Amino acid sequence: MTLSPTQSILITGAGAGIGRATARAFLAAGWEVTLLGRRPEALAETAQGHPARLIACDVGDPAGVEAAFAQLPRLDVLFNNAGISAPAAPIDEIPVEQWLEVSRTNITGMFLCARAAFGLMRRQSPKGGRIINNGSISAHAPRPGSAPYTMSKHAVTGLTRTLGLDGRAFDIACAQIDIGNALTDMAARFTKGVPQAYGQIRVEPVMDVDHVARMVLHMASLPLDVNTPFVTLMARDMPYLGRG
């Protein structure tokens, strides 16, 4: 599919991991890319000298998100990707502050960015666009001791379903990609062994993060009358289908 050079995307959490790999895929494909993240130097490293709009912003800050999206003349796609995790622990051992930090990024941040993108997309001319939320395998099956992260990813699924309905009147499609064991700095621990539901420590298979980037690019390239509401992309042999 040949894309117009005016196709635009904003990627949150673009300074590392999945956000960085995805941003580089869209830059290579000729999209107009806006990179959003908390660390300006990390965003510049992602861009690797390619022309891109860099916006330093904390997705959990309502005023910051509003100001960031106000800089965009148009937005065709939002990859609502920014997210954090927390150390595994039983719920009564998880500090409340840690829960608040995870929910501020993974729930409030997702909501704020989706809200800003939705408002821009419904009012631009021509109207419409696509919002792709980064969910997780944890939106289906949790890991041990992951209450804050798992709760946040179930919330993302609720957001995706709601936007999928609300967006129809404005030609806005909403999709979610649930990713399992893509090899990033955050997922490197899988290669060393992580706790399993049956109580043992096990090394888990991982996949190249570039597979995620290519899938997001494919989802973003679909015409607006077509949608992939939920896509699961995972290392084939990871303990998901048989987890527990």
Side-chain angles (χ1 to χ4, degrees):
M1 178 177 182
T2 301
L3 298 172
S4 164
T6 60
Q7 284 276 84
S8 61
I9 183 170
L10 185 148
I11 299 170
T12 68
I18 290 169
R20 170 170 286 175
T22 304
R24 289 176 176 171
F26 277 85
L27 286 167
W31 284 58
E32 181 182 306
V33 181
T34 297
L35 309 178
L36 189 147
R38 287 182 290 183
R39 298 175 295 133
E41 66 282 0
L43 297 178
E45 186 178 345
T46 295
Q48 293 182 317
H50 291 88
R53 179 182 288 107
L54 312 183
I55 301 179
C57 175
D58 180 346
V59 296
D61 173 20
V65 170
E66 185 174 347
F69 280 79
Q71 299 182 42
L72 307 179
R74 178 175 179 83
L75 183 63
D76 295 302
V77 179
L78 165 67
F79 183 33
N80 212 2
N81 164 71
I84 61 173
S85 61
I91 192 168
D92 60 319
E93 297 178 14
I94 297 171
V96 172
E97 293 76 16
Q98 204 167 76
W99 154 250
L100 293 173
E101 183 181 5
V102 170
S103 63
R104 182 177 185 272
T105 298
N106 295 12
I107 301 177
T108 300
M110 281 270 182
F111 172 85
L112 291 174
C113 292
R115 178 179 183 272
F118 195 99
L120 180 56
M121 290 171 177
R122 69 178 287 191
R123 293 177 177 87
Q124 63 193 5
S125 181
K127 69 180 179 182
R130 190 181 306 273
I131 296 170
I132 302 173
N133 294 325
N134 189 348
S136 172
I137 294 293
S138 291
H140 306 274
R143 289 185 177 278
S146 67
Y149 184 79
T150 296
M151 288 177 67
S152 74
K153 293 304 182 179
H154 276 69
V156 173
T157 297
L159 175 65
T160 300
R161 293 186 184 277
T162 304
L163 294 181
L165 289 176
D166 294 350
R168 290 176 179 177
F170 308 107
D171 290 334
I172 298 172
C174 187
Q176 180 170 318
I177 180 167
D178 294 325
I179 302 162
N181 289 18
L183 186 54
T184 63
D185 288 344
M186 192 165 73
R189 61 194 177 93
F190 298 143
T191 65
K192 301 175 182 177
V194 290
Q196 304 296 311
Y198 50 82
Q200 296 182 7
I201 303 295
R202 175 184 166 184
V203 171
E204 294 188 9
V206 295
M207 64 178 174
D208 193 309
V209 70
D210 287 341
H211 295 304
V212 178
R214 290 198 294 271
M215 178 61 76
V216 175
L217 180 59
H218 170 69
M219 295 166 72
S221 301
L222 294 170
L224 287 179
D225 61 350
V226 178
N227 194 27
T228 51
F230 293 94
V231 171
T232 300
L233 187 69
M234 54 178 267
R236 188 195 65 195
D237 296 336
M238 68 170 289
Y240 161 51
L241 299 177
R243 189 183 292 182

